[in-house]
Amino acid sequence: MTDISHAAADSSDSTAKLVTSVDGTATVTQRELNSRARAWMMYDVANSAFQAICVTFVFATFLASDLFLDPAIAAIGKANPQDPTYLAAQANATSTIALFDTIAAVIVALIAPALGARSDGSGRRRAWLGIFSLITIACMFGMYFITPAPSMVAWGALLLAVGVLFSEFAGVNYNAMLSQVATPKNLGRVSGTGWGFGYLSSIVLLILVLVLFIQNFGVDGVAGVLKVPSGAEGEGLNIRLAIVLSAVWFLVFLIPIMRKVPELPADPSRERRPFFATYLDLFRTIKRLASTSPKLLLFLVASAVYRDGLNAVFKFGAILAAQVYFFSSSEVMYFAVAANLVAGLGTVAAGWVDDKLGSKRVIVASLIGLVGVAIAVFVLSNDKIVFWVLGLALCLFVGPVQASSRSYLSRITPAKHEGELFGLYTTTGRAANFLASTLVVIFLAAWGDPKLSIIAIAIVLLAGLVLVLPIESRPKHASLRAETEQQAAGDVTVR
């Protein structure tokens, strides 16, 4: 019976309708491609551990907390939260984090496009994804050794920046693999569902670390059901162990994509070139795009600007909650759970809209919502309920912009150039990364009010919205071939 059932299954698979991936590298059954897509999505689940726990809700706020201030200054702030000395010390911690992040952004901007271009046709795209991810995980394990002290802020910010650096490098290869696991008809859904799974899985991890390590159950000096030492006396051990658990999470959910999504074979026609020669090829690519697909270049610039604003929403949002609205560590975690639920559901729903109405419409509508809500956050009072309502509204719009930007670029990228264009996508994003961080630093240095960071973010988002308006709603394939080749091949088709 077992042999007969297997034979029947094999026969069914062999007669099943075959589908072709967006990049044309896989012609398999829909079931097989769906299986690869699910494995691909698990990387969003894996990376959510770093993005949610380290970058946004736990480690960054840990570094920006009073635990890392001089005890005398922290005591002043406890007595008078508006004391200028206390506010200046808080601003200094935030500025240190922003400074290291800016340095990482510059390095990514310089290196990511070359790494992406060299991954195309190399037969090692998945391998580099694994290597860069493991370096990020190593940084997470290193965060365990960051104990509360003013001198440790810079070291913590350094580990965070290095983790961000290699997470971005891994993201170039990951995003380039999207066209391997989706068809033109479901590209938006695959991208949106993957991003949505990342947000929703963050909820599980956030609840886990909250219950195990962070929630105060009424016993002084310990936190979580495991009663881990916390606060200055416990050297923040509960937070540091939460980061270790997150690193393990990342490692476990990295496995599916490494096992299930095939490594593309090396292109035998690909020339071996010195690393720096890759930049000459990139300049030629940009020149060709300028003449054949100028709207794609505009999209890269526009998305770079608004993506910096999106990153700043998460980067400084939790810090804003702690410093302006006086959220405790537990309250930040409660908000994080709700925020990821809203963002995840919004992103999954937006994926379906993307396939029906187009990526641009999702991007524009979401950016308008983000700018409006950001202005409301600044204008309204500092009551916690205001941040709960408006902060969740911000999260509703962030995910759809991210996922639809990824699907927009995948739709117009020609085969065998995914790494190159997603490298440029990452580079332009990081090249603009200084915008929000720099504005935050300037505003804090000039006025010392942490709430002004939301105005800096709104300005960047608005600039991105204005720039993205002229791009095509239903774009044609970008072409990276010379004009003479295009004339021979005829018009470029729509994907």
Side-chain angles (χ1 to χ4, degrees), residues 32 51 57 83 88 90 104-105 145 147 170 196 235 240 274 286 292 298-299 317 319 322 343 352 360 423 482 495:
E32 173 61 21
Q51 300 299 331
F57 295 113
D83 184 276
Q90 283 187 318
F145 300 99
T147 54
E235 296 188 322
R240 292 152 51 208
I286 294 171
T292 63
L298 179 60
F299 169 73
I319 296 174
W352 290 82
K360 179 187 173 180
R495 184 180 298 184

Side-chain angles (χ1 to χ4, degrees), residues 422-438:
F422 272 107
L424 285 173
Y425 181 73
T426 299
T427 289
T428 53
R430 279 302 179 176
N433 187 256
F434 71 92
L435 294 174
S437 295
T438 301

Side-chain angles (χ1 to χ4, degrees), residues 31 54 60 81 136 207 229 236 244 253 293 309 318 328 348 352 413 428 450 485:
R31 175 182 294 181
C54 297
T136 303
I207 291 175
V244 170
F253 285 100
S293 305
S328 66
V348 171
W352 290 82
T413 298
T428 53
E485 293 178 277

Side-chain angles (χ1 to χ4, degrees), residues 404-441:
S404 289
S405 296
R406 179 167 67 183
S407 61
Y408 185 93
L409 185 57
S410 290
R411 291 183 193 280
I412 60 178
T413 298
K416 298 183 180 180
H417 291 280
E418 295 87 359
E420 186 175 29
L421 285 184
F422 272 107
L424 285 173
Y425 181 73
T426 299
T427 289
T428 53
R430 279 302 179 176
N433 187 256
F434 71 92
L435 294 174
S437 295
T438 301
L439 281 178
V440 168
V441 171

Side-chain angles (χ1 to χ4, degrees), residues 86-205:
Y86 174 68
L87 291 176
Q90 283 187 318
N92 181 64
T94 304
S95 296
T96 299
I97 297 170
L99 175 61
F100 276 92
D101 183 72
T102 301
I103 294 171
V106 172
I107 296 174
V108 170
L110 293 174
I111 297 178
L115 292 177
R118 292 177 72 84
S119 75
D120 291 328
S122 68
R124 300 196 65 193
R125 178 179 290 165
R126 187 184 64 181
W128 283 117
L129 170 68
I131 291 169
F132 295 144
S133 298
L134 289 174
I135 295 173
T136 303
I137 292 169
C139 289
M140 296 172 72
F141 279 117
M143 292 173 187
Y144 172 82
F145 300 99
I146 303 301
T147 54
S151 61
M152 296 298 286
V153 173
W155 288 107
L158 176 62
L159 279 174
L160 187 61
V162 173
V164 167
L165 181 71
F166 284 96
S167 176
E168 291 282 0
F169 290 160
V172 171
N173 294 281
Y174 172 62
N175 288 331
M177 293 170 73
L178 171 59
S179 59
Q180 297 175 226
V181 299
T183 67
K185 291 183 178 180
N186 71 356
L187 186 65
R189 276 170 286 170
V190 172
S191 179
T193 303
W195 218 299
F197 278 5
Y199 281 123
L200 295 174
S201 65
S202 297
I203 297 174
V204 177
L205 182 56

